Amino acid sequence: MKKLTLLLLCLFGMTQAKAQEPSATPADTVKTWQTKGNASLLFNQSTFDNWLAGGENNISGTIGVNYDFNYKKDDITWDNKVIASYGIVKTRTSSFAKKTDDRLELNSLLGKKFKPDSRWYYSAFLNFKTQFTKGYEYGKDANGVEIRTEYTNFLSPAYLTFGPGILWKRDDNLKFNFAPATSKITFVDKNFTLPNEAYFGVKEGKSLRYELGAYASAYYKLDIMANVTFENILSLYSNYLEDPQNVDLDYQLNIVMKINKYLSTNLSFQTIYDDNAFQGFQIRQVFGVGANYGF
C-alpha cells in the first residue's frame, strides 16, 4: 500500500503542475466527434549458428491498435478508447508458439459539467477487458516432452466494470474519474473453475463473480520531446464485499518514439495486481522497432 500511495502522490503532483499550463490542443468548436488512432507492427528475429556465446533461434511479432473516438458538445463529453494487441514468439526448442501479448480492452467515459466554466463533471463509465485466444500453462511429461494445458480463452476471463461517479477533466490528455459505487463482474468458462475460488475468484461450477466497490482511474498523455509520446493509464478498484484492503491495480505505460512517418520504436509496459487471479504482481513488457501508422 505504501508503494501504491507513493505512485498516486507522484501522479497527482505531475497533474497539479501540468494543470497550470494552457491546454496543448485548442478546443475544436465545430466538430463534435474527434477520432485518432495508432496501429503498429513489431517484428523480431534472431538466428544463431555455431555461436559460442550461446543463443536460441526465435521469431516473434506483435500487432496492436490504440484508437480514440471522443464526443464533445456544450456541457457533454464522451470519451472512448479501444486497445487491442496480439503477439506470438516461436523458438527452436519449443514445441509450441507462445503468446507475448493478447488483450482487448474498451474504455468509455461519459460526463456532464457541473456548470459551464467548470472542469468537474457528473460521470458514468464502463470498462471491458478480455483476450482473443486460448492461453496455456506449460510443463513437461514423464519423457521430458513439452506439454500444455488450456487455462484461459476468449471471455474466460472477461471483466466488465461500470458505475456512476465524478470526473475532473482538463482535456482529452488529462483526466481523473472516481466512482464510489462501482459494479465489477468477472465472467469465466465454468468448466475451468477450481475449488476454493482459485480460478479468478469464481466459485467452482459458476460462470461469473459479482463485486461492488470503489473505482478510481487516471489518464495522462504527454509529449516528453519531439516525436516521443508517453501514455499513462491507471485504474484502482476496492471490493467492499470482500477484503477491501486488497486494492486491485492495473497500470499501463505506452511509449511511442517516432523515427519517421511510418517507423517507430514502441514500448508497452503493464503491471496488474489482482489477488483473485494471482497472489502477486503480473508484469508484461513488449519492446521493439516496427511499422507505425497514425490515423
Side-chain angles (χ1 to χ4, degrees):
M1 290 301 295
K2 290 183 179 179
K3 293 182 179 179
L4 177 58
T5 303
L6 181 59
L7 175 61
L8 290 174
L9 288 174
C10 291
L11 285 173
F12 182 75
M14 290 191 297
T15 301
Q16 291 297 96
K18 193 71 176 178
Q20 305 302 320
E21 302 176 7
S23 175
T25 304
D28 191 324
T29 58
V30 179
K31 295 178 64 177
T32 55
W33 283 99
Q34 298 284 344
T35 62
K36 58 181 177 180
N38 180 76
S40 61
L41 175 61
L42 306 181
F43 178 80
N44 296 285
Q45 180 184 21
S46 299
T47 302
F48 303 89
D49 187 14
N50 299 322
W51 190 254
L52 300 182
E56 184 175 8
N57 293 356
N58 68 83
I59 183 170
S60 66
T62 302
I63 186 170
V65 175
N66 190 327
Y67 182 65
D68 296 273
F69 49 107
N70 301 333
Y71 174 90
K72 182 178 181 181
K73 185 175 182 181
D74 299 328
D75 61 347
I76 300 295
T77 181
W78 185 21
D79 298 341
N80 301 277
K81 175 182 283 290
V82 175
I83 299 175
S85 58
Y86 190 80
I88 57 174
V89 60
K90 183 67 174 71
T91 60
R92 183 177 58 183
T93 58
S94 176
S95 304
F96 310 102
K98 299 178 180 179
K99 292 191 292 186
T100 58
D101 198 0
D102 184 5
R103 60 175 173 155
L104 172 62
E105 180 173 350
L106 168 66
N107 288 285
S108 185
L109 179 60
L110 177 66
K112 177 179 172 58
K113 283 187 177 182
F114 284 9
K115 52 185 180 179
D117 59 345
S118 175
R119 288 182 174 176
W120 291 94
Y121 297 75
Y122 302 104
S123 69
F125 87 97
L126 180 146
N127 173 267
F128 177 78
K129 300 178 184 178
T130 189
Q131 62 190 52
F132 288 103
T133 63
K134 297 177 180 179
Y136 299 91
E137 291 184 324
Y138 294 89
K140 292 185 178 181
D141 63 14
N143 299 316
V145 178
E146 187 177 31
I147 59 175
R148 64 182 184 181
T149 304
E150 185 179 343
Y151 188 71
T152 59
N153 205 340
F154 179 66
L155 299 181
S156 185
Y159 301 97
L160 178 64
T161 311
F162 57 93
I166 297 175
L167 167 68
W168 182 90
K169 179 179 179 180
R170 191 199 68 184
D171 54 32
D172 288 344
N173 294 327
L174 179 59
K175 50 198 167 186
F176 289 92
N177 186 60
F178 177 67
T182 294
S183 294
K184 179 181 178 181
I185 305 174
T186 303
F187 301 92
V188 300
D189 183 337
K190 64 182 180 180
N191 295 314
F192 290 165
T193 54
L194 300 168
N196 302 317
E197 302 181 2
Y199 189 77
F200 299 98
V202 180
K203 292 182 179 180
E204 187 174 12
K206 302 295 183 179
S207 59
L208 64 84
R209 169 189 172 93
Y210 177 79
E211 300 176 38
L212 177 66
Y215 178 90
S217 65
Y219 180 84
Y220 186 34
K221 184 177 181 180
L222 68 159
D223 295 327
I224 297 297
M225 59 184 68
N227 297 325
V228 180
T229 301
F230 278 51
E231 181 183 52
N232 299 272
I233 306 171
L234 172 68
S235 65
L236 305 169
Y237 181 77
S238 174
N239 179 17
Y240 295 145
L241 307 179
E242 182 181 323
D243 298 326
Q245 73 279 6
N246 293 342
V247 178
D248 295 345
L249 177 148
D250 187 338
Y251 172 69
Q252 302 176 46
L253 172 63
N254 300 309
I255 303 175
V256 177
M257 294 170 280
K258 293 183 179 178
I259 300 172
N260 56 37
K261 185 177 180 180
Y262 297 110
L263 295 177
S264 69
T265 300
N266 292 20
L267 169 64
S268 294
F269 171 84
Q270 183 176 16
T271 182
I272 296 174
Y273 179 83
D274 181 350
D275 62 337
N276 291 317
F278 177 73
Q279 297 292 323
F281 283 92
Q282 303 174 59
I283 297 175
R284 178 186 63 84
Q285 177 183 308
V286 179
F287 178 77
V289 177
N292 187 80
Y293 178 71
F295 55 92

